[in-house]
Amino acid sequence: MRFLFRLLSLVALAIAVLAAAIDSIESVASSEVVMTSFGAAWADLSSSTLALVQTGVEHYIGAWIWQNGVAWVLGQPAFAVFLLLSLFLWMCGYRKPSLAGRFAA
């Protein structure tokens, strides 16, 4: 199970680096800071799934969760969301080192 969390963490980190690289290229091209929000990136990739998730969250969990929680996350920069997701998944897959050390039997 730890391997799966670490693999997903690596994928999220790769997406975060890709999103940051795209934002930096756009920033240099336009001579101003450009940060693509997570919601805008998701809508560009697949707006139908974003609408599906919105209706699902509003129907099964509640509209106040979408307005107060999910909408706030969708407004954050995409690279930051994926960096935090990568950190969380890495923490889930982290193995605590043994107290005896590396060379203990």
Side-chain angles (χ1 to χ4, degrees), residues 71-84:
W72 182 81
V73 172
L74 290 174
Q76 301 308 311
F79 74 91
V81 172
F82 281 110
L83 276 177
L84 287 177

Side-chain angles (χ1 to χ4, degrees), residues 49-100:
T49 59
L50 179 60
L52 184 68
V53 168
Q54 180 179 4
T55 56
V57 167
E58 287 177 347
H59 183 278
Y60 291 109
I61 299 174
W64 58 275
I65 289 287
W66 181 263
Q67 294 167 354
N68 296 328
V70 179
W72 182 81
V73 172
L74 290 174
Q76 301 308 311
F79 74 91
V81 172
F82 281 110
L83 276 177
L84 287 177
L85 179 64
S86 175
L87 176 65
F88 176 73
L89 290 170
W90 177 80
M91 287 170 46
C92 289
Y94 181 73
R95 187 173 91 182
K96 191 174 175 182
S98 67
L99 295 175

Side-chain angles (χ1 to χ4, degrees), residues 8 19 30-32 34 42 45-46 53 56 68 78-79 89 93 100 103 105:
L8 291 174
S30 66
S31 298
E32 62 182 23
V34 175
W42 192 354
L45 290 176
S46 177
V53 168
N68 296 328
F79 74 91
L89 290 170
F103 302 108

